[in-house]
Amino acid sequence: MQARRASLPRFSYARRRGFTYACFVTPALALYLLTVVVPFLQGIPYSLTSWNLVSSQSAFVGLKNYQSLLGSAVFWKSIGNTFQFAVYYILFSNLLGLGIALLICRSSRLNNLSRTLIFMPYVVSMLTAAFVWKYLFNTVYSPLFGVPSPLGVQSQAMLGIAAISVWRTSGYCMLIYIAALQGVPQEYYEAASVEGANARQKFFRITVPMIVPAFSVNVSLLLAWGLKVFDVVMATTNGGPGRNTTLTMSMFIYNNIFGNSKAGYGQAAAVLMTLILLALSYVVSKFFRSKGVDA
Amino acid sequence: MKGSLPKRPGMAARRRLFGALRIFAVVAVTLLFISPLYISLIYSLKTPAEMGTGTPLALPRSFYLGNFRDVIVNNGDFRTGFVNSLITTAAIVLALTVITPMASYVLARSRRRVYNIIYYVFLMGILIPFQCIMFPTYVNLRAVGLMNSLSGFVIVRTGFQIGICALIITDFVRTVPTELEEAAGIDGASLFTTFWRVVYPLMKPINVTMLVLNTLFSWNDFYVSVTILQSPQNRTLPLAQFVYRSESGVDVNLAFAFFTLSMLPVLILYLFSQRYIVGGIMSGAVKG
């Protein structure tokens, strides 16, 4: 054995390396295939059945689930609510994140401390954040301003939910904007000052174009997170107040599969949700690519 | 920049005022952001009797630790949830820290087509929302008897996290020079030894970042655990908190003590490792 290994020709070293490589990839790949890829592929035929969670009986129904989903007012309502949330979420997280980043992008002891603290909510679980805010709305906000908690008012509930999520993610956006702002060469601003540019011109002509990659990261990331919104709604309004005012796509799917045990129907909604997610992510990345971002 | 500004009387005073305003704004925004966490803390340090008196934002008069004690000693759900969260988080993070760097190393180094394809399979997978594989996961776990088990949750949560971790680590390994590995290979070390003795230590910065972030994601997970862990004895902390969804008959101080205790481990982790978290996010890496 010893003698043979010493005289191994070159090709078998490459082969041994190939074998080691395969062994290195296998655990992660196998687990990933079993828990993500295979379930994803299974889900498509499931969505064509009338699977009932309780009795495990299922019959092939073709595209009937999809047909009834497209005719369901509740499903469309859940899509509309999710979009409404995503717009508030993306807009306010980015505005706040960029505003704060501009305020504290220079490193100083105070700025570094405030960065650490403003990012802190992101570390807290969405569920805990939602519970804390739900109680705060009732015990602090409501008595302080003499108004009811927004989570209990139909027209404000989605805004209240978005506020909780924005509180949690603004710090995240802020960090990405700070990284981008620190990458803008100071000479550009100096040159612009020499040319007599004012602060507004410097912001729109230098800063904004230079940090487009940060916009791209923050918008695509928050779009993906926002369209999946689930825990915060579950913890605060559970789809209410009233009928489905804050029901989101994820909740619609979860409720149908586990609550109403209409698993095939819920799975069809999940497939549609994935398509919406992919389509919108594609549009956003296409838009930013046209602005010269390579991501 | 200072030199290029024309010297006008009052300019220095104006700049001082601006500086003061800026500091005021920074402090105000920071306080606003941490106020919910501050309120959680002071609420859990107050007695129910103290709640009615004074403004809700006032510091507690005595640092009453009874709420914490009550949650830890008398709330079985909290203890079960805490232990389950600890076990599952440790298992998930450990598995990810071992198997993803191994795979990423190969994806970064090998030029064979099959590994290129695998890279793209990981990439496509991060676009799949969990909602889309939730029901098939339930069916599969039930078929193998892992529904409602901590190991079932660990397997699924680890698998769902692999794609993004593998991509981030692969990008990092591509920036690591190959000379050291080649030298080790010439010295006769096997690839296995080379990886664990030479490459893995070089990957430490990204591995630590991923370790911290994966700890956060596992500890805070709700959407995977709510699907898989449905019986009370298997609940993790986020699921145990779910009793507070209905506010009727809930002692607010005890609820906040519960919230504070569930946040505490990750907040401590964050304060000690924020360099890695902030670094990881600033490099644009994290898409959890």
Side-chain angles (χ1 to χ4, degrees), chain A residues 233-246:
Chain A
V233 191
M234 284 284 274
T236 50
T237 62
N238 195 20
R243 284 193 62 168
N244 306 326
T245 21
T246 57

Side-chain angles (χ1 to χ4, degrees), chain B residues 9-229:
Chain B
M11 197 68 185
R14 236 175 77 185
R15 202 178 298 149
R16 258 208 310 274
L17 180 70
F18 240 74
L21 277 177
R22 184 185 270 264
I23 288 174
F24 175 77
V26 172
V27 172
V29 169
T30 309
L31 289 181
L32 204 66
F33 265 85
I34 56 164
S35 59
L37 300 175
Y38 164 77
I39 295 173
S40 309
L41 185 65
I42 58 164
Y43 270 29
S44 40
L45 290 171
K46 284 181 183 177
T47 58
E50 202 183 335
M51 288 300 281
T53 63
T55 66
L57 300 178
L59 273 171
R61 267 174 309 199
S62 60
F63 283 80
Y64 174 69
L65 295 173
N67 297 320
F68 289 128
R69 197 184 48 226
D70 209 11
V71 170
I72 294 171
V73 176
N74 298 332
N75 193 330
D77 289 344
F78 176 80
R79 277 203 310 273
T80 314
F82 197 88
V83 171
N84 287 342
S85 278
L86 218 54
I87 295 172
T88 53
T89 301
I92 293 167
V93 171
L94 187 71
L96 285 169
T97 314
V98 174
I99 64 176
T100 12
M102 284 165 63
S104 292
Y105 171 67
V106 178
L107 296 185
R109 288 289 187 255
S110 174
R111 292 209 192 90
R112 291 187 56 182
R113 256 214 20 232
V114 58
Y115 294 121
N116 211 6
I117 295 171
I118 293 173
Y119 182 86
Y120 281 102
V121 171
F122 282 138
L123 188 65
M124 281 192 298
I126 62 173
L127 296 170
I128 300 174
F130 184 74
Q131 284 74 20
C132 197
I133 60 170
M134 188 167 73
F135 177 57
T137 297
Y138 170 84
V139 172
N140 295 344
L141 286 182
R142 201 171 57 173
V144 294
L146 286 176
M147 252 315 272
N148 259 319
S149 76
L150 293 179
S151 36
F153 170 63
V154 168
I155 292 169
V156 172
R157 195 68 186 87
T158 309
F160 198 64
Q161 200 68 22
I162 282 178
I164 182 64
C165 290
L167 294 180
I168 295 171
I169 302 176
T170 303
D171 287 345
F172 179 87
V173 178
R174 287 192 175 135
T175 67
V176 176
T178 57
E179 281 84 6
L180 277 171
E181 308 160 30
E182 281 159 10
I186 290 165
D187 287 347
S190 73
L191 198 61
F192 189 82
T193 318
T194 310
F195 177 75
W196 289 109
R197 293 279 175 76
V198 180
V199 185
Y200 200 77
L202 290 173
M203 294 164 79
K204 194 183 154 203
I206 193 74
N207 284 342
V208 174
T209 300
M210 295 317 289
L211 186 119
V212 175
L213 288 169
N214 287 332
T215 307
L216 290 186
F217 294 142
S218 317
W219 186 266
N220 291 341
D221 175 84
F222 176 69
Y223 53 89
V224 179
S225 50
V226 77
T227 312
I228 297 174
L229 304 172

Side-chain angles (χ1 to χ4, degrees), chain A residues 258-271:
Chain A
F258 293 109
N260 310 343
S261 86
K262 285 162 74 179
Y265 185 69
Q267 183 61 34
V271 172

Side-chain angles (χ1 to χ4, degrees), chain A residues 32 103 116 134 138 167 172, chain B residues 22 33 125 245 247 270 286:
Chain A
Y32 179 78
L103 193 66
T116 303
K134 188 176 168 185
N138 281 328
W167 171 70
Y172 192 100
Chain B
R22 184 185 270 264
F33 265 85
R245 190 153 88 163
E247 279 163 82
Y270 168 63
V286 185

